[in-house]
Amino acid sequence: MSRKQFITILVCLLLGTLAQAAPLTIEITQGVETALPVAIVPFGIEGERKPPDDVAKIVAMDLARTGRFEPMDEKDMLAKPSQPENIKFQNWRLMQQEALVVGKVKHEEGDRYTLSFWLFDVYKETQLAAFNVTGTEPNFRAAAHKISDIIYEKLTGEPGAFSTRIVYITAHQDKKDTLLKEYSLWMADADGFNPQVLLKSKEPIYSPVWSPDGQKIAYVSHESGKQQRIVVQEWSSGARNVLTVPLSGRQSAPAWSPDGKKLAFTNHKDGNAEIYVLDLASKKVQQITSHWAIETEPVWTPDGKSIIFTSDRGGRPQLYKTSANGGAVTRLTFEGVDNARAAVSPDGKTIAMVTGIRNDSTSRLEYKIGVMELATGFLKILTDGMLDESPSFAPNGSMIIYATTTRRGRGELAAVSVDGSVKQSLAYEDEVREPAWSPFNNK
Amino acid sequence: MRILPKLSVALVFAVLLLNGCGTTGEAEQEQGAVAGGGAAAGSAEDAAAAAAAAKAAEEAKARELAKEQEKQALETGLLAQRVVYFDFDSSVVHDESMPMLKAHSEYLASNGNKITVEGHCDERGTREYNIALGERRADAVRRILLANGVSASQIKVVSYGEERPAALGHDEKAWALNRRGELMY
C-alpha cells in the first residue's frame, strides 16, 4: 500500500551559540511514495558529561532530508532501548518500522565521546551494522553525520553524502539604497548548519566551484580595477590568490580538472569569450575554443578527457563537447529553446543543465533544470520554476542542488533527486544563489 | 583642441559669473603684486622665480577651470546621458543611441580622459553566459567610441552580466532597463 508523504522538517534559526545557528531552513516539499519507515531511538547516555547534541535527531533529519526515509516520531516510541539485548522486534513490527537504529553516547576524557550504534532489519531480526564512531565536542555533528552515512549505505547500497558541504552566495540588499548589494560567499554543512562566511564584498561574487581535494574554492570577483578575475581561496586558512594569466582580457567561469592540476576558464576580450585551460603549476595557458561566438561555462568530464561548454554559435546557447585539448566540437543538446551551464554527474553518465522552454500559454521563456543521459541524448526536465539555474550534483550522484526564484521573486536554493521524485527547498533571509556541493573529501 | 564652441563660451561665462570676480583679473592683480615685491627685493633671480611661481599658479588655476568645465559639460545635454539599451539576447546598438555616443566620443577625444564601459543583462539566461553577453554589449559601445576618435588606451571594459540590475522586477519592464551599457567616468 503506497501513500504520498509530504515530510516537512524545519531547521529553525536558533538563538544562541554561533555553532548552533542554521540560517538555511530546509524543507522537504516532496518525498518518495515508498519512503522506508525507520526508527532511530534516542541514544543512551553514559559517563559524566551530557553530549552536546542529540545524535538520533541529527541522524533522523539526515535520512528524512533524502526523502527516501520516514523516521518515526520519538513521541510514538513505547520503548527506547539503547542496546541490542533490550530490543523486542515484535513491538517495532507492530509499529510498522522496517529498520531500527539503537545506540549510546559515552563520554570519554576531555571533550571526547564514543558514539556506538547498531542497525537492524526489523522483519528479519538481523543486524546490518555495528560501529563505534569517535566524536569531539566541537565536531560532534560530524560524528553523527558519519553514522548517517553508514546507515544510508547499508540500507540503499549507495554512499551517503551527509558529511559533505555546500558553498553558496548571498546578496544583501541595503535598506536605504535598494540597488546597492553586499555579496557574501558562504560555506556550510550539507544540512545548512555551521555556516561561515568565506568572503564579503561590495562587488559581485559568482561561479563558486570546489577543488577536487575539497580544500579550495575558486570563484569570480571584481577585484582591484573592478574587472572580473578568478580567485582561488583555501577555505581553512582564508588565503586567497587572484589568478593572473598570460592573456589580456577578463577571466571568469572557473572549472577544476578532475586531478586538480588544471583550471578551465573563460577569457573575455574584445567582446569575444573563449575557453582556455590553465596549468596551475606551470602557469601556461592552452586555448581550447576558437570561434567568434560566445564560448563559456566549461566543465570537465570525470575522466578528464573532455570539456563540455555552452556556446551560442548555433544562434541560441546550447551545450557542446570538445576534447580537453580542444579541436573538433560536437553539439550535445537539441531540445528546448536553449541549453546552458552543464554540470556532469560523478559517474560521468549524465549531465544536468539549464533548459529554456517556451511556455505555450504565456509565451514566456522559462528556465528549468534538465538532466540528459549522454549515451542516449534523452532529456528529462526535473524542476518547474521560472528561473532555475546553477545545478550542482551531490558527490554520490543522488541529488542536484540548484538555485531557484520563488513566485514572489526571492532567490532560494532547492534540491531535487536525479529521478525527480524528491524535492527540497532551502531558504535564507537574504537572496541566495549559486550553490556548489563539495566532493566527498572536504576536510 | 576641439571644444564645442558655443557651449564652452557659455560655461566660462557662467563660471566667471558664479565666482564673482574674474580669475584672470585675480591673476593680473597677483602678478602686479609679485612684480612689485620682486622690485622691492631688488634681485633679478628673485623676480624670475616669483614670476615663474605666479605662472605656475595661473596654469594650475586654468587646469582647475578646465576640469570644472569638463565636469559641468558632463552634466548637460547629450553628455549627461550615459546609458545605451539593448534588445533581448542582442548586442546591437540602436540608431537612437548614436548622437549620445558621438557626443561622448568628441568629449573624450578632446580631453583624453578615461572611461569605463559597463555591460549588463537582464536576469534571464545563465549567469556566466550573461557575463559574456554583457561583454559583447560593452564592446559594441567601445567600438563606436573608437570609430569616433577615442583612443583604445582611454577605454576600459567590464561586464557585470545580470549581477547589477538597474531595476529589481521580474517582468519585461524591469528587464528592458537592465539590458544596458553604461558609460562610467
Side-chain angles (χ1 to χ4, degrees), chain B residues 38-60:
Chain B
S43 131
E45 259 181 44
D46 283 345
K55 187 156 181 258
E58 191 184 317
E59 278 170 3

Side-chain angles (χ1 to χ4, degrees), chain A residues 54-169:
Chain A
D54 185 334
V55 181
K57 198 158 171 197
I58 295 170
V59 173
M61 281 168 38
D62 278 347
L63 295 178
R65 240 181 20 253
T66 64
R68 298 168 72 169
F69 297 92
E70 195 187 359
M72 185 181 188
D73 198 326
E74 187 198 317
K75 290 194 238 82
D76 298 335
M77 294 179 191
L78 299 171
K80 294 183 186 173
S82 51
Q83 341 205 84
E85 307 85 81
N86 301 342
I87 297 172
K88 292 196 165 57
F89 287 100
Q90 193 190 340
N91 293 342
W92 297 101
R93 280 197 294 274
L94 280 171
M95 293 188 278
Q96 295 179 316
Q97 300 305 303
E98 297 195 24
L100 174 66
V101 176
V102 302
K104 55 189 181 180
V105 184
K106 181 164 181 246
H107 174 245
E108 309 291 356
E109 53 181 19
D111 66 352
R112 276 180 52 240
Y113 295 83
T114 300
L115 291 70
S116 310
F117 78 96
W118 295 264
L119 168 69
F120 290 93
D121 178 321
V122 173
Y123 283 87
K124 292 188 189 146
E125 299 190 17
T126 50
Q127 181 177 294
L128 299 177
F131 278 88
N132 292 331
V133 177
T134 314
T136 58
E137 195 113 356
N139 283 328
F140 199 77
R141 290 189 71 88
H145 290 315
K146 190 140 186 253
I147 293 175
S148 303
D149 284 333
I150 296 169
I151 294 171
Y152 184 87
E153 178 154 13
K154 290 292 175 197
L155 294 177
T156 68
E158 288 173 20
F162 304 108
S163 303
T164 55
R165 288 196 162 119
I166 56 174
V167 286
Y168 52 93
I169 291 169

Side-chain angles (χ1 to χ4, degrees), chain A residues 179 183 202-203 206-207 222 225-228 250 252-253 268 270-271 294 297 312 316-317 341 364 367 387 389 409 433-434, chain B residues 88-89 123-129 131-133 135-136 139 142-143 156-160 162-166 168 170 175:
Chain A
L179 296 179
Y183 304 86
K202 290 246 167 4
E203 291 286 320
Y206 45 94
S207 304
H222 291 238
K226 307 281 176 129
Q227 295 181 311
Q228 54 269 39
R250 292 150 290 286
S252 71
H268 305 269
D270 296 340
I294 287 174
E297 300 174 336
D312 65 356
R316 298 305 311 258
R341 184 41 175 89
R364 280 173 78 134
Y367 295 89
L387 208 59
E389 53 183 350
R433 72 273 292 268
E434 301 238 74
Chain B
F88 178 60
D89 210 37
E123 63 184 352
R124 294 171 295 172
T126 54
R127 282 179 197 270
E128 281 284 359
Y129 179 80
I131 294 291
L133 179 56
E135 281 269 342
R136 256 200 199 148
D139 190 70
R142 182 183 77 105
R143 283 169 198 271
K156 211 160 90 166
V157 157
V158 66
S159 171
Y160 281 110
E162 62 180 86
E163 309 299 318
R164 282 236 151 112
L168 292 176
H170 302 281
W175 295 336

Side-chain angles (χ1 to χ4, degrees), chain A residues 9 24-30 404 412-415 423-427:
Chain A
I9 290 174
L24 272 185
T25 54
I26 298 179
E27 191 182 317
I28 310 291
T29 52
Q30 182 178 303
T404 186
E412 289 185 353
L413 301 184
K423 296 189 168 160
Q424 291 173 22
S425 74
L426 303 90

Side-chain angles (χ1 to χ4, degrees), chain A residues 281-303:
Chain A
S282 70
K283 301 281 197 287
K284 291 208 172 103
V285 289
Q286 183 185 8
Q287 186 166 352
I288 303 301
T289 62
S290 177
H291 195 285
W292 47 261
I294 287 174
E295 274 74 40
T296 186
E297 300 174 336
V299 284
W300 300 72
T301 54
D303 61 6

